[in-house]
Amino acid sequence: MKCGIYELDITPWLGLDIPGQFSKRVSIDILERLSAIASYFESVGEKVVIISTDSIIVPDEAVSVIKNNIAKKLDMKTSNVFICATHTHTGGPVENWGEFFKAKGEYIELYTARCIDAAVLAAKDAREVKLSFGIGKENTIANYRVRVLPDGSIQTNAPSGSGTKPYGEIDPDVSVLRIDNADGTLYGAIVNYACHCDCVCGSAPEASL
């Protein structure tokens, strides 16, 4: 099994809309860089690319462009290219939602190009690896935000207490694919945990961390 991992910066420039809240927010600072991280796997002639991006969604117009370009450049199937978003609420403007935020075509072009480049560079860095997989549990971070009110109705983001109860249960599984170099040293990992990561910042009046 061969694997390559590569990370590229997709941090938007200042002054762009920040998607993810019911108010208009504009980026005024950079607290952490945002990334597109590509993992390339190859075994017995089969190739797979997994790209994780720090964005609220993967923009529809970028999906086919990314998949087709990567498939062509790496001589692989488009169906073996997977793209996902961390769903950060403090990322670049990749979608439209009323007057709250507008997509920025130039940023989506940057996002698209960086995803493609990250995959190509990951393939160039491919080396022999050993994979291992495990599942742990974490039930203290996430909470079920849809709650049942005392009258039996349900409400999203209803406050806890006052007789309300969660509508369902969270998924506590933390799955980890560990990727080790041939000499046993850690090369990287792919971690999956179901949550809705959300914070507020930017130029909105209620901005806070």
Side-chain angles (χ1 to χ4, degrees):
M1 167 71 71
K2 287 186 176 181
C3 174
I5 303 172
Y6 209 91
E7 177 179 1
L8 286 178
D9 195 313
I10 58 169
T11 307
W13 49 97
L14 300 183
L16 299 185
D17 287 354
I18 304 174
Q21 296 293 335
F22 294 99
S23 61
K24 187 172 181 63
R25 297 178 300 153
V26 176
S27 60
I28 57 175
D29 199 356
I30 297 174
L31 299 180
E32 294 180 346
R33 311 300 298 186
L34 305 181
S35 300
I37 304 176
S39 301
Y40 169 87
F41 299 90
E42 182 178 350
S43 179
V44 197
E46 196 74 28
K47 301 174 182 179
V48 172
V49 169
I50 301 172
I51 306 172
S52 175
T53 62
D54 289 325
S55 59
I56 194 166
I57 63 163
V58 178
D60 290 340
E61 59 266 45
V63 175
S64 60
V65 177
I66 293 170
K67 290 171 71 73
N68 290 335
N69 273 272
I70 291 174
K72 182 178 180 180
K73 291 175 182 293
L74 299 183
D75 188 24
M76 60 181 293
K77 303 172 186 174
T78 56
S79 58
N80 284 2
V81 179
F82 302 91
I83 316 162
C84 66
T86 60
H87 195 68
T88 175
H89 280 232
T90 50
V94 293
E95 67 170 337
N96 296 303
W97 193 3
E99 297 303 314
F100 300 136
F101 43 86
K102 301 291 185 182
K104 186 74 169 178
E106 293 89 338
Y107 177 74
I108 294 177
E109 291 176 3
L110 169 70
Y111 173 97
T112 302
R114 292 290 167 83
C115 286
I116 296 168
D117 289 351
V120 172
L121 293 169
K124 287 182 178 294
D125 198 44
R127 78 281 302 272
E128 290 293 334
V129 297
K130 179 181 178 181
L131 304 182
S132 54
F133 179 78
I135 298 178
K137 302 287 184 182
E138 169 50 62
N139 59 8
T140 64
I141 297 176
N143 65 82
Y144 210 96
R145 68 173 183 161
V146 179
R147 301 187 69 85
V148 181
L149 305 184
D151 63 3
S153 62
I154 61 174
Q155 180 180 331
T156 302
N157 295 330
S160 59
S162 302
T164 68
K165 60 182 180 180
Y167 182 74
E169 297 181 355
I170 67 164
D171 179 358
D173 286 353
V174 182
S175 55
V176 179
L177 177 67
R178 176 177 171 133
I179 308 163
D180 287 320
N181 291 304
D183 62 3
T185 59
L186 178 66
Y187 179 43
I190 296 178
V191 180
N192 184 63
Y193 178 64
C195 67
H196 187 176
C197 47
D198 184 5
C199 61
V200 178
C201 67
S203 63
E206 73 275 20
S208 63
L209 292 178

